Amino acid sequence: MKNMDAALAAALVVAAAALSACGGGSGSSTGGGAGPSQGTPPATTPVDEEPRNIGTDVDAPNPVPPSPPLPPTQSTSPNPNLGITTYYPLYAPATPVTEQIQYREADGTLVTLMGMRPTERHARERGEDWTAADQGPGRYLTFPSAYFQNRTYGIEIRDHVPAGKQLIEMVLIVNDGTFDGTTFSLFRNSNDEGVRDYGWSLNTGFNNPKLGGKPVCMAGSRDCKIDFDSYWDVPKGQPHRALKMGDVIELSPAQRLERYGDGMHAGEPVSDSLRGKAVVDGAGSRYYSFEQLYIVGQGLAPWYGVAPRLNSAPLPDATLLGGLTSLSYNYSEEPMRVFQQMANNIGIVNSKRFVQGRRLFHTSFLNGKHSEHPDDNPVFSAHVNQLGPRYNQERCIACHTLNGRSVFPGIGARLDSMAVLTAAASSTGAIPVPDSTYGLNVQQRSRDAGATDLSVSVQSFDTTVYTLPDGEKVELQKPVYGFKGPVPARYSVRQAAQIVGMGLIEAIDETTILDLADPTDRNGDGVRGVPNWVSNPENGKMHLGRYGWKAAKATLRQQIGDALLKDMSVTSPVFPSRGCQRLDPDCHNTVGGTSISESELERLSDYLSLLAVPAQRSLRSGFPADTRVSPEHNLNPDQINRGSALFAQAQCVACHTPQMKTGTKHPFAELRNQTIRPYSNFLLHDMGAGLSDTLAEGKATESMWRTAPLWGLGSLKYVQGSDQNVRYLHDGRARTLKEAILWHGGEATTSRVSFGAMSKEDREAMIAFLSSL
């Protein structure tokens, strides 16, 4: 440690004590620059002050700085074969970034801004000892109560090594309120054989020289910082070595809010009910945060655990399905939560935008309660009783299970977590006409107990048996639907899809997608691919379609506004009147406010934009020999690699494009210039009569569907609760990936036949590859 003064040494003692109390102090150093001290962790995890979910009646949302205005875009003329004369790109070349996440100063110093949010435990804690039988998940990826207010922050990492200096500085940036006693652990102590769940070579804290060296840090201040000038993760007894480019440093911050009866308020009279609670809102005050990997001279990198003892190492680029937004491998046995996490490279203020948008996504528009800790989190009073008279669900998360897919109900059960789009017999893709009873979709539930029952359910299945060349038989089933109300002339049942990667999709330049289109089948492979074109409901401009099963939504704003309106009858600036659900020509001319304000619509869009895509699980992790390997990490890399090659050989990549790069125009720096692996070209393809329904949208005929991105596919069985709860294809008819492939027809016929002609071993390898995504 460089030139630690007495005040910082005192802060270290406080920090080490706090870390010991929380189970994070193994391998701690309580001294200054005297060299590393690698202690042995206790035999069992110490009893600690768990960051309990303590509720609050104080609803204290913190204002977010306004985003820079978007410059207007200019109309563009595409290839005349693409079905339109002109369209408008989403973003102009001069679009400013909402906030910087990394830059270099004139002397070469690299500055990285790392956003953080509260978590409950450490990254490698699994809910039981590493050698014990599974007793339940850890609590690293959870969201404690009141996570959306006063609890996000960041660290500005000033890396002077690229400038030729032996120095890295860390500056604590608090978004709102006051932190008191924040701690910071660095350099995972991988050389200590006793280190497993946690254990760092350097435990320190952020002190404030303007407050007498106390670890008190406030929003708007840059006074709390630490610095170090050597590399700490060295064998026991050896001196530190010099920092060098490419060094990996694990960062594990832990925050404490200003609280009653402790820290700044020690000795003050306080009731037992308030002791230890945050002064700002009466909720919890003590948290952990994400454990990040910093690479000297480069920045943050998603990581995975290697030998020995799951030591942190950067994930290879080929595994980063979402580029640098990708979520690191999870070792707390919480695979069910991997679709809910922030982008790995998220900025400091954007972490605040993210949690506020997440709150809205989990809020009931009936009673204002949060889906998690409903009796602990404050009621979002602004959204009480905004649910429309007819609806399907009362909150966004109800259709997207843990940000995954719809629940597929049993026979006879209401399909109210899926969408049933409807249209009149005269409706066409170009000129939609709403159904006279339902409008544009069936809203199956009513707030009026005496209202007409308009529910839709699966009544039975039409089944066929597909026989593969080697004799294996696969039963395929197609749902037969029952309507309590009139059967619409045209309809399409759609399951909600997982929502990761949506910001990255919006960040792809139009030309990148359009260059993949082949409407005239120039190469003669039978695969065409055409874009859908969508009129922006807010301004009438024509955009490239990107979202939905038929690419019938152009922007995240439109996707969000459409879901709010159709699933909950909640209005927004996109669709300001419930009449828009029936294409009322005056529905955009309403006077007065909407249920969701412009700023709240932005927060929802920010949240969906900044969700991380889990990294591909194609690598073996370095679990110690005596440790139970988590199921999600028990995989065969050779089989996965073989499956990847077979996927390409079967020409599945003609539609499921493995890799592309996002553009440089999106407002979020996190999403720019990312090499992503969505396994989609986001174009429409004719999938044959077997997958056809009766509803067209824009250029998408009844049998045409957008190529669904495959990232996150292998996490679905955890997110949905089990393999049996996962459904594939637009209407959820396929129970397995094998069934989904065998339903492919039309332009995908050749690929389906190639898959069927493979040996059973090769088919299993291809499924293993898809399950790794």
Side-chain angles (χ1 to χ4, degrees):
M1 204 69 178
K2 180 184 178 184
N3 299 327
M4 271 190 207
D5 57 21
L8 180 52
L12 280 167
V13 174
V14 173
L19 281 163
S20 291
C22 73
S26 52
S28 68
S29 168
T30 58
S37 171
Q38 292 128 336
T40 301
T44 58
T45 301
V47 177
D48 62 6
E49 310 168 28
E50 293 291 357
R52 293 171 294 162
N53 290 309
I54 301 171
T56 173
D57 291 329
V58 178
D59 189 1
N62 315 118
V64 173
S67 301
L70 297 179
T73 60
Q74 302 299 315
S75 61
T76 301
S77 297
N79 183 312
N81 292 325
L82 296 181
I84 201 168
T85 55
T86 61
Y87 72 92
Y88 284 85
L90 293 184
Y91 301 110
T95 301
V97 294
T98 303
E99 69 169 319
Q100 289 184 310
I101 60 171
Q102 190 175 66
Y103 60 92
R104 288 189 186 272
E105 296 181 338
D107 67 351
T109 296
L110 179 66
V111 180
T112 301
L113 300 130
M114 176 177 77
M116 290 278 114
R117 61 104 173 159
T119 65
E120 295 185 284
R121 289 303 305 174
H122 296 296
R124 295 175 181 82
E125 289 185 295
R126 310 200 303 186
E128 65 279 329
D129 290 339
W130 279 20
T131 55
D134 186 14
Q135 300 172 30
R139 297 188 353 259
Y140 171 62
L141 297 181
T142 57
F143 287 80
S145 59
Y147 68 88
F148 43 78
Q149 56 190 31
N150 303 298
R151 285 161 178 80
T152 61
Y153 65 105
I155 296 175
E156 179 183 289
I157 305 169
R158 300 184 58 79
D159 182 354
H160 298 278
V161 177
K165 303 175 184 177
Q166 275 294 300
L167 178 64
I168 296 180
E169 298 174 291
M170 306 271 183
V171 182
L172 183 67
I173 308 293
V174 180
N175 274 332
D176 298 285
T178 299
F179 286 0
D180 178 9
T182 297
T183 57
F184 197 22
S185 301
L186 304 92
F187 298 101
R188 187 158 189 266
N189 194 354
S190 62
N191 292 285
D192 189 328
E193 293 182 1
V195 166
R196 289 197 174 189
D197 304 60
Y198 41 75
W200 293 270
S201 299
L202 170 58
N203 284 330
T204 183
F206 290 95
N207 70 321
N208 191 334
K210 292 185 178 179
L211 294 177
K214 293 180 180 180
V216 177
C217 310
M218 293 164 285
S221 167
R222 294 176 49 85
D223 298 320
C224 292
K225 60 184 69 175
I226 67 166
D227 58 74
F228 53 92
D229 60 1
S230 59
Y231 188 83
W232 282 63
D233 187 12
V234 294
K236 188 173 182 179
Q238 292 189 15
H240 295 181
R241 64 165 175 81
L243 292 162
K244 65 179 187 295
M245 298 284 283
D247 274 343
V248 294
I249 305 172
E250 183 168 293
L251 312 177
S252 181
Q255 66 274 39
R256 300 200 74 174
L257 277 66
E258 179 187 6
R259 56 205 175 275
Y260 293 107
D262 192 14
M264 299 165 60
H265 299 275
E268 296 179 4
V270 62
S271 66
D272 289 342
S273 62
L274 282 177
R275 186 174 300 277
K277 293 185 179 180
V279 170
V280 69
D281 58 14
S285 64
R286 178 182 168 279
Y287 306 95
Y288 302 91
S289 196
F290 266 28
E291 295 176 16
Q292 285 276 31
L293 194 67
Y294 181 77
I295 303 178
V296 176
Q298 178 178 322
L300 301 173
W303 59 274
Y304 75 122
V306 299
R309 295 172 291 283
L310 292 180
N311 195 31
S312 302
L315 278 162
D317 289 346
T319 67
L320 301 183
L321 302 181
L324 292 179
T325 73
S326 300
L327 182 68
S328 301
Y329 279 16
N330 169 244
Y331 297 108
S332 54
E333 293 195 323
E334 298 172 273
M336 76 292 290
R337 298 187 179 110
V338 296
F339 286 170
Q340 301 185 61
Q341 307 309 314
M342 302 190 307
N344 189 76
N345 60 344
I346 196 167
I348 297 173
V349 178
N350 275 348
S351 65
K352 180 173 163 179
R353 293 184 170 97
F354 178 92
V355 296
Q356 291 187 4
R358 185 184 191 273
R359 182 196 188 182
L360 275 163
F361 200 80
H362 285 253
T363 291
S364 165
F365 288 94
L366 178 62
N367 58 28
K369 287 191 173 185
H370 198 289
S371 66
E372 301 161 330
H373 317 301
D375 297 325
D376 288 343
N377 278 316
V379 170
F380 206 156
S381 57
H383 298 297
V384 172
N385 209 34
Q386 289 184 332
L387 193 69
R390 295 207 71 98
Y391 64 100
N392 288 321
Q393 293 291 339
E394 63 187 64
R395 49 170 63 91
C396 303
I397 193 68
C399 288
H400 300 274
T401 305
L402 298 182
N403 286 2
R405 299 190 172 186
S406 299
V407 173
F408 193 87
I411 287 180
R414 187 162 44 195
L415 288 168
D416 54 6
S417 70
M418 302 177 75
V420 182
L421 306 186
T422 56
S426 60
S427 182
T428 65
I431 306 175
V433 180
D435 180 89
S436 59
T437 300
Y438 305 110
L440 296 178
N441 69 299
V442 183
Q443 294 174 326
Q444 299 182 49
R445 302 170 72 180
S446 174
R447 296 182 64 179
D448 179 0
T452 303
D453 186 355
L454 297 181
S455 59
V456 184
S457 62
V458 176
Q459 294 299 295
S460 62
F461 291 99
D462 287 337
T463 59
T464 58
V465 176
Y466 192 104
T467 303
L468 296 167
D470 63 1
E472 180 183 352
K473 298 182 183 300
V474 181
E475 183 185 79
L476 304 181
Q477 61 177 26
K478 181 178 180 179
V480 177
Y481 300 104
F483 289 78
K484 291 287 187 179
V487 178
R490 298 182 182 276
Y491 69 92
S492 180
V493 178
R494 314 273 178 87
Q495 70 163 319
Q498 64 266 33
I499 58 175
V500 295
M502 296 185 77
L504 292 167
I505 295 171
E506 200 168 52
I508 302 168
D509 281 348
E510 284 80 3
T511 53
T512 300
I513 296 174
L514 296 178
D515 284 348
L516 298 171
D518 186 12
T520 60
D521 193 16
R522 296 186 307 271
N523 59 7
D525 65 355
V527 179
R528 298 176 183 271
V530 298
N532 206 350
W533 298 104
V534 180
S535 175
N536 188 321
E538 296 184 80
N539 56 30
K541 292 182 177 179
M542 196 63 69
H543 298 303
L544 172 68
R546 301 170 188 254
Y547 299 109
W549 289 99
K550 287 186 182 287
K553 313 294 186 301
T555 67
L556 267 178
R557 287 176 63 94
Q558 183 183 6
Q559 177 68 34
I560 294 164
D562 188 82
L564 288 169
L565 179 72
K566 291 180 179 176
D567 295 329
M568 293 175 280
S569 291
V570 171
T571 59
S572 71
V574 182
F575 296 111
S577 166
R578 290 177 181 143
C580 294
Q581 195 268 346
R582 294 179 174 271
L583 296 183
D584 183 337
D586 294 324
C587 79
H588 288 278
N589 299 322
T590 57
V591 177
T594 54
S595 299
I596 291 288
S597 68
E598 175 61 32
S599 63
E600 290 176 324
L601 180 63
E602 288 182 9
R603 293 298 82 75
L604 278 168
S605 180
D606 295 345
Y607 170 62
L608 294 178
S609 293
L610 293 167
L611 282 166
V613 178
Q616 183 184 9
R617 288 176 290 107
S618 55
L619 303 173
R620 295 289 295 185
S621 295
F623 287 95
D626 63 342
T627 302
R628 177 180 55 81
V629 176
S630 304
E632 64 268 32
H633 295 295
N634 191 9
L635 49 86
N636 183 337
D638 292 336
Q639 183 188 39
I640 291 169
N641 290 336
R642 172 68 177 156
S644 177
L646 291 166
F647 188 78
Q649 289 174 21
Q651 285 302 302
C652 302
V653 294
C655 299
H656 293 282
T657 304
Q659 180 175 303
M660 58 182 66
K661 193 168 185 177
T662 62
T664 61
K665 304 169 188 174
H666 195 280
F668 287 154
E670 294 91 334
L671 307 178
R672 293 185 174 189
N673 283 314
Q674 296 300 318
T675 299
I676 60 175
R677 296 160 182 85
Y679 289 91
S680 173
N681 58 14
F682 303 103
L683 295 168
L684 299 171
H685 294 274
D686 191 324
M687 299 299 291
L691 287 178
S692 182
D693 58 24
T694 61
L695 189 77
E697 291 185 272
K699 300 290 184 181
T701 65
E702 292 83 350
S703 61
M704 295 178 75
W705 302 95
R706 182 196 72 154
T707 303
L710 302 183
W711 47 22
L713 207 60
S715 294
L716 283 172
K717 67 179 180 180
Y718 304 108
V719 173
Q720 305 294 141
S722 70
D723 276 319
Q724 290 70 36
N725 293 337
V726 181
R727 292 294 186 271
Y728 304 96
L729 302 178
H730 66 279
D731 56 3
R733 69 178 66 182
R735 295 160 292 183
T736 66
L737 286 169
K738 184 183 296 182
E739 287 182 32
I741 294 169
L742 296 177
W743 271 110
H744 280 52
E747 295 176 38
T749 300
T750 299
S751 294
R752 184 197 70 218
V753 171
S754 295
F755 174 77
M758 294 177 187
S759 67
K760 183 176 181 180
E761 181 181 20
D762 281 352
R763 290 197 298 269
E764 289 175 350
M766 189 161 142
I767 298 297
F769 160 68
L770 293 172
S771 297
S772 75
L773 297 176

